[in-house]
Amino acid sequence: MAVSSGEGKSAGQHDPVRQAARERAGEQGLLFDEQPTALPQGIGYRGPTACAAAGITYRQLDYWARTELVLPTIRAAQGSGSQRLYSFRDILVLKVVKRLLDTGVSLQQIRTAVRHLRDRGVNDLAQITLMSDGVSVYECTSADEVIDLLQGGQGVFGIALGRVWREVEGSLAELPGERAEPAPDAEGDHPADELARRRKARRTG
């Protein structure tokens, strides 16, 4: 995934073209610098909830999971009747993928962007603005980089991940989530295991 170089930011900082690009970025909400709330821990969301929050169809969700574009990181579907469980971060990426597709970005470029986002830390995600000219996807981590790209091309659009974060957060506040169960080999005891031990102790004691 390409990253804007940011060269020449100080030169022409106040020229009319750059000022117009800054105003355009502000109108589009691309200079998002608020710190979003902490990522929900230990909460998973089923497929229908993920679809509602990301604004996609279940067919898209299923296809992206089967082609490994966006996989559920909490729990994958295993056998008949099992439910995928998506994390908050997964749903954030789903919503970004939908927006990139809607603007005509190729699936190959989207896969590259998703891999890149998957490697980033959770805290870093909220500070990223993805820019695209419909062909390539660029990562910007500062207002200057966003403005440079807008200044250089009329066809460039952007997605501020911090703003998408807030949108997903607002949607999920009204949708059902569930406590993610620990993996079988996870350290520590599950409350149900402790209860089972006590019952067994009473029967054998």
Side-chain angles (χ1 to χ4, degrees):
M1 184 159 79
V3 181
S4 63
S5 65
E7 294 180 359
K9 292 174 188 171
S10 57
Q13 186 81 17
H14 303 293
D15 66 54
V17 175
R18 188 171 183 81
Q19 182 59 34
R22 178 178 289 277
E23 291 173 0
R24 185 176 164 199
E27 290 169 358
Q28 294 182 25
L30 302 181
L31 306 182
F32 189 89
D33 57 1
E34 295 180 37
Q35 189 64 38
T37 56
L39 195 72
Q41 296 294 321
I43 302 295
Y45 304 91
R46 296 193 177 196
T49 298
C51 289
I56 61 175
T57 66
Y58 195 85
R59 179 175 293 184
Q60 286 175 307
L61 182 80
D62 185 58
Y63 178 71
W64 295 349
R66 286 189 288 107
T67 58
E68 300 185 355
L69 176 61
V70 184
L71 290 166
T73 57
I74 293 184
R75 187 173 69 213
Q78 298 175 338
S80 177
S82 65
Q83 293 274 347
R84 298 188 186 104
L85 215 54
Y86 290 82
S87 68
F88 181 97
R89 180 188 174 123
D90 297 336
I91 298 173
L92 177 73
V93 174
L94 287 169
K95 196 172 184 74
V96 169
V97 169
K98 171 68 162 52
R99 291 197 175 175
L100 291 173
L101 278 174
D102 286 348
T103 49
V105 177
S106 72
L107 200 56
Q108 182 179 359
Q109 281 290 327
I110 291 173
R111 284 189 181 279
T112 300
V114 169
R115 280 197 301 269
H116 187 77
L117 293 177
R118 193 179 294 141
D119 293 339
R120 296 298 294 256
V122 170
N123 293 332
D124 290 342
L125 284 179
Q127 309 306 320
I128 293 174
T129 295
L130 293 181
M131 306 291 290
S132 178
D133 53 11
V135 179
S136 298
V137 180
Y138 306 86
E139 173 197 296
C140 297
T141 55
S142 72
D144 281 327
E145 290 177 347
V146 171
I147 293 165
D148 284 347
L149 282 172
L150 286 174
Q151 185 177 341
Q154 292 298 319
V156 174
F157 69 91
I159 303 170
L161 266 64
R163 187 170 293 278
V164 178
W165 183 303
R166 282 287 177 83
E167 291 173 4
V168 171
E169 188 177 49
S171 297
L172 289 177
E174 302 176 358
L175 294 167
E178 60 185 74
R179 180 67 58 181
E181 296 180 6
D185 57 349
E187 293 184 5
D189 292 323
H190 190 278
D193 297 334
E194 176 63 24
L195 184 61
R197 270 200 303 274
R198 289 179 181 176
R199 287 173 176 167
K200 184 178 180 180
R202 281 201 299 270
R203 286 197 302 268
T204 59

